[in-house]
Amino acid sequence: MSMRRRTFLGTAAAAGVGLSALGGPAVAGTPTPRTASPRQAPTQKFPIGVRQYNWSRGGRQLLTKIFYPAATGNPGGNPIPDAPIASGVFPIAEWSHGMGCNSDCYSSQTHDLAAAGFICPAPSFSDNTNIGSVYNGNWSKDVSEVLTRTLALNTGSPFAGHIDTRAGVGVSGHSMGGMTTHGLLTAWPDNRVVAAVPVACVDMGNPAGLKAKVLFIHGSNDGTCPINSARQAYSELPAPKAFLTQNGADHGSFLTPQYPYYAQTENTFLDWFRWGLYGDTAARDRLRGDATSNGTSWVAAL
């Protein structure tokens, strides 16, 4: 991977990366997690809870909101602070925001993950306009720290006994968050990652050999993170992998519920994690149907 190909997205080009209007790596010797045992992901929609944690990594502050399936409230409704967690054991599917955003951005993604039966930590990166912190690995390392802290909540916290700590974890994000996600598969790998969805990313380096299922989502007319860089990243990864193109879309409009083909984004996104983290083969078999429309293109090696 040439440095030239990896670093063309400069500060000026990244000025529009964030979509604020949208709703520690495993250490050497840590065994690679097994793939999730096949089981059906939850079919009902859960109420949503949210808890806030003020974590840090060295001098970097990591305020993190965790959205999760709640025992009380309206299914899919507004998150309820500190609500009791629903009965069951749920895998982790993290979300990383883009430039200028925080844990409350991209609510369509974080809330839908929680309502679908995932525990979704969403960190607020302390230098959320600094593209250099993505390219030097700080954001990817921050996510690894957040994953470690979230997994540790399975004991001695309100999440105790409700976090699936054996199936591996999922990571996802948009723009600078998508680059952060791809960084966890390449330059700053975390071998706990078994499912990933980089959205509107650029290629961050050579694959590190993780056994992860990776779904790319991108707009064909993205003027901030050109789609050809993401296609290059896709081509370098082994199967299982897939690429959902929102034809004619810009950098992130396809992540908003008002977009005509938003359903293709969200249904594919959720079923990818249902397959990758629950081992739900019915979700895998739905993927082509999820992704297919007059406004989208789908390529996969499953």
Side-chain angles (χ1 to χ4, degrees), residues 83-142:
I85 190 169
S87 297
V89 178
F90 307 104
I92 292 171
E94 178 269 350
W95 178 268
S96 295
H97 64 71
M99 178 176 274
C101 287
N102 57 38
S103 295
D104 291 321
C105 297
Y106 303 93
S107 59
S108 296
Q109 286 67 53
T110 57
H111 296 185
D112 279 4
L113 281 167
F118 298 93
I119 292 172
C120 178
S124 291
F125 299 102
S126 56
D127 49 355
N128 66 2
T129 61
N130 186 358
I131 188 72
S133 279
V134 177
Y135 279 123
N136 68 19
N138 267 324
W139 282 32
S140 293
K141 294 172 186 176
D142 287 348

Side-chain angles (χ1 to χ4, degrees), residues 5-91:
R5 200 175 89 217
R6 288 175 53 193
T7 59
F8 71 88
L9 180 64
T11 302
V17 169
L19 282 179
S20 58
L22 297 177
V27 297
T30 301
T32 301
R34 64 173 175 81
T35 301
S37 297
R39 58 187 174 123
Q40 186 181 53
T43 56
Q44 79 273 29
K45 183 176 286 190
F46 291 92
I48 302 167
V50 60
R51 290 181 179 271
Q52 181 171 309
Y53 294 88
N54 297 310
W55 293 328
S56 63
R57 182 179 69 84
R60 294 178 61 81
Q61 298 303 305
L62 291 172
L63 184 150
T64 301
K65 289 188 177 181
I66 299 181
F67 301 93
Y68 56 91
T72 59
N74 296 321
N78 291 329
I80 302 170
D82 302 327
I85 190 169
S87 297
V89 178
F90 307 104

Side-chain angles (χ1 to χ4, degrees), residues 40-297:
Q40 186 181 53
T43 56
Q44 79 273 29
K45 183 176 286 190
F46 291 92
I48 302 167
V50 60
R51 290 181 179 271
Q52 181 171 309
Y53 294 88
N54 297 310
W55 293 328
S56 63
R57 182 179 69 84
R60 294 178 61 81
Q61 298 303 305
L62 291 172
L63 184 150
T64 301
K65 289 188 177 181
I66 299 181
F67 301 93
Y68 56 91
T72 59
N74 296 321
N78 291 329
I80 302 170
D82 302 327
I85 190 169
S87 297
V89 178
F90 307 104
I92 292 171
E94 178 269 350
W95 178 268
S96 295
H97 64 71
M99 178 176 274
C101 287
N102 57 38
S103 295
D104 291 321
C105 297
Y106 303 93
S107 59
S108 296
Q109 286 67 53
T110 57
H111 296 185
D112 279 4
L113 281 167
F118 298 93
I119 292 172
C120 178
S124 291
F125 299 102
S126 56
D127 49 355
N128 66 2
T129 61
N130 186 358
I131 188 72
S133 279
V134 177
Y135 279 123
N136 68 19
N138 267 324
W139 282 32
S140 293
K141 294 172 186 176
D142 287 348
V143 170
S144 285
E145 181 68 23
V146 166
L147 292 171
T148 296
R149 300 290 190 106
T150 304
L151 287 163
L153 294 174
N154 200 45
T155 58
S157 87
F159 292 100
H162 291 284
I163 300 175
D164 189 339
T165 61
R166 300 187 62 198
V169 299
V171 291
S172 56
H174 172 249
S175 194
M176 284 167 65
M179 295 161 65
T180 297
T181 300
H182 192 242
L184 289 163
L185 306 170
T186 55
W188 305 279
D190 189 319
N191 64 16
R192 298 168 296 188
V193 174
V194 298
V197 185
V199 182
C201 75
V202 298
D203 191 343
M204 292 296 287
N206 293 323
L210 275 63
K211 296 184 181 299
K213 299 175 174 69
V214 186
L215 166 67
F216 292 82
I217 305 177
H218 218 106
S220 65
N221 290 354
D222 189 334
T224 303
C225 295
I227 193 171
N228 285 343
S229 184
R231 285 174 173 159
Q232 177 66 36
Y234 170 82
S235 72
E236 295 170 346
L237 288 170
K241 60 183 179 178
F243 202 111
L244 171 61
T245 302
Q246 285 279 2
N247 296 323
D250 59 15
H251 187 54
S253 58
F254 53 88
L255 291 174
T256 64
Q258 297 78 20
Y259 190 75
Y261 303 105
Y262 171 75
Q264 282 67 38
T265 297
E266 205 69 355
N267 293 338
T268 307
F269 172 72
L270 292 175
D271 271 345
W272 193 264
F273 279 135
R274 289 183 180 113
W275 175 38
L277 297 174
Y278 279 98
D280 189 336
T281 56
R284 176 201 62 198
D285 295 343
R286 290 193 298 266
L287 286 168
R288 178 173 290 278
D290 290 340
T292 302
S293 73
N294 291 332
T296 56
S297 300

